[in-house]
Amino acid sequence: PTPTPPPVPLLPARMALANELDPTDNKGELSEESSGVAFGELIRDYKPNPDTVWRFGKPNYAKVNKTYFAHRTLEHEEGSLEAVVGKLVKNWEVESHHIADIHQWKTMDVSEFKAAVNGGCPCGA
């Protein structure tokens, strides 16, 4: 029989908690820590419109980025398909979780977007 690999240890929660977000700080660009620049690599290049209001306050990805850079197993070449897709997914997450006005989203055409869960009825953004 094939031996079972040891379980992967779970990392403690490293995301910003709701009580760490400041709803009054709801305008402007992501910080260098949130974009990844402070860690030496731009992994989120999201630039909000000047009139964009962050849903719960400006997102803070400093903790999750610190964990990401400490534990990632691959570093994709800048401009490669893998790097572009990774950045796109991270930017989509910024929009879908933190910008309430879907008309300000840039990563997808919200007039065409539909999603369904477990065979349910498709719905838009």
Side-chain angles (χ1 to χ4, degrees), residues 112-125:
E112 297 292 326
F113 176 79
K114 299 279 186 252
V117 177
N118 296 329
C121 294
C123 63

Side-chain angles (χ1 to χ4, degrees), residues 10-28:
L10 295 176
L11 298 172
R14 300 280 186 215
M15 297 176 7
L17 302 174
N19 65 348
E20 295 174 341
L21 298 176
D22 178 2
T24 63
D25 182 17
N26 62 2
K27 297 258 187 193

Side-chain angles (χ1 to χ4, degrees), residues 3 20 22 26 31 36 38 41 50 63 78-79 92 104 106 112 115:
E20 295 174 341
D22 178 2
N26 62 2
S31 69
E41 183 181 345
K63 290 180 183 179
E78 180 66 31
W92 172 81
Q104 294 182 329
K106 301 175 182 184
E112 297 292 326

